[in-house]
């Protein structure tokens, strides 16, 4: 979920979003895990929040949709946030099996969300190359890979690679260190032609984010 916030309403939004998530978590019928909440630091519009939730299956998604419509506490908190928002965008994604499962990390980290819009029909080749690529990046920094996702509902053929770093300097060192692997050059050379557009955004955890 990505939400664009009116700048003058940012502080109010952060407090209200925490209330909204608490209302969701208080409903015992809803089976969803709040993994992370970030704000954009650079690379995209500021005063933008990105929230990552995890469902085990589509039935849990259906149950959550139904329950949230009937949950008065949630509806009150959610509607109170409307004047703070200029836009809200939701996509449902699936994780790549060769990436680690996103977890709730401690510390003071920055996250690099890299999005790729692929040419239709290229997902198979992308997955084969990146199943090897993730191993090379992990040898430089085993904690750098956070999540690899692709859209199921939303803008199709879109990939999200989320990387975790201790700082932007750590990010630079990790990315440069990957090039010592001879096969990395081959992976980059063969995946770049599969991409129509790409973007990278640096985000930082919000105060109530389980992932820091």
């Amino acid at each position: 979920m990505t939400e664009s916030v009116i700048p003058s309403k940012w502080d109010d939004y952060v407090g209200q979003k925490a209330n909204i998530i608490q209302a969701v978590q208080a409903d015992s019928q809803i089976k969803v895990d709040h993994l992370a909440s970030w704000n954009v630091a650079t690379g995209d519009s500021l005063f933008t929040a990105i929230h990552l939730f995890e469902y085990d299956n589509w039935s849990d998604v259906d149950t959550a949709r139904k329950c949230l419509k009937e949950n008065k506490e949630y509806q009150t908190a959610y509607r109170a946030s409307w004047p703070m928002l200029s836009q809200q965008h939701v996509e449902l994604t699936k994780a790549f099996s060769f990436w680690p499962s996103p977890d709730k990390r401690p510390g003071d980290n920055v996250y690099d969300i890299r999005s790729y819009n692929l040419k239709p029909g290229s997902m198979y080749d992308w997955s084969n190359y990146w199943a090897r690529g993730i191993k090379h990046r992990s040898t430089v920094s085993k904690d750098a890979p956070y999540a690899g996702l692709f859209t199921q509902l939303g803008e199709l053929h879109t990939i999200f690679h989320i990387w975790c770093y201790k700082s932007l300097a750590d990010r630079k060192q990790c990315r440069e260190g990957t090039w010592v692997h001879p096969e990395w050059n081959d992976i980059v050379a063969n995946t770049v032609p599969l991409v129509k557009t790409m973007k990278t955004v640096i985000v930082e955890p919000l105060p109530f984010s389980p992932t820091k």
Side-chain angles (χ1 to χ4, degrees), residues 26-184:
D27 192 327
S28 61
Q29 298 183 75
I30 298 176
K31 298 178 181 179
V32 62
D33 195 9
H34 174 219
L35 295 176
S37 289
W38 299 290
N39 67 277
V40 171
T42 187
D44 203 347
S45 300
L46 301 182
F47 303 102
T48 299
I50 300 172
H51 307 281
L52 182 64
F53 299 88
E54 183 179 35
Y55 295 91
D56 284 339
N57 52 59
W58 287 102
S59 294
D60 288 345
V61 176
D62 290 332
T63 299
R65 291 177 60 248
K66 180 180 179 180
C67 290
L68 291 178
K69 291 177 181 178
E70 301 171 352
N71 187 316
K72 293 182 179 180
E73 181 182 355
Y74 166 81
Q75 286 295 330
T76 298
Y78 177 51
R79 291 170 186 270
S81 73
W82 290 357
M84 307 169 192
L85 302 175
S86 59
Q87 189 175 16
Q88 185 182 66
H89 180 73
V90 178
E91 289 186 313
L92 292 180
T93 62
K94 186 175 182 179
F96 285 109
S97 60
F98 51 86
W99 274 75
S101 298
D103 53 5
K104 299 174 182 178
R105 298 194 179 183
D108 183 20
N109 301 303
V110 296
Y111 292 80
D112 182 0
I113 302 179
R114 303 178 68 85
S115 56
Y116 306 86
N117 186 251
L118 303 186
K119 298 174 182 177
S122 61
M123 183 74 73
Y124 179 79
D125 288 338
W126 177 273
S127 299
N128 282 340
Y129 281 114
W130 265 101
R132 303 201 306 270
I134 196 73
K135 295 178 182 178
H136 295 311
R137 180 63 59 82
S138 297
T139 61
V140 179
S141 176
K142 65 180 180 63
D143 294 327
Y146 181 76
L149 312 167
F150 61 95
T151 50
Q152 295 273 278
L153 292 175
E155 187 173 354
L156 299 180
H157 312 295
T158 300
I159 307 295
F160 298 98
H161 288 180
I162 306 178
W163 305 93
C164 176
Y165 302 105
K166 297 186 182 303
S167 64
L168 292 181
D170 178 49
R171 172 183 181 271
K172 180 177 184 293
Q173 182 179 6
C174 181
R175 289 175 57 79
E176 290 180 348
T178 312
W179 286 98
V180 303
H181 298 279
E183 191 180 0
W184 181 253

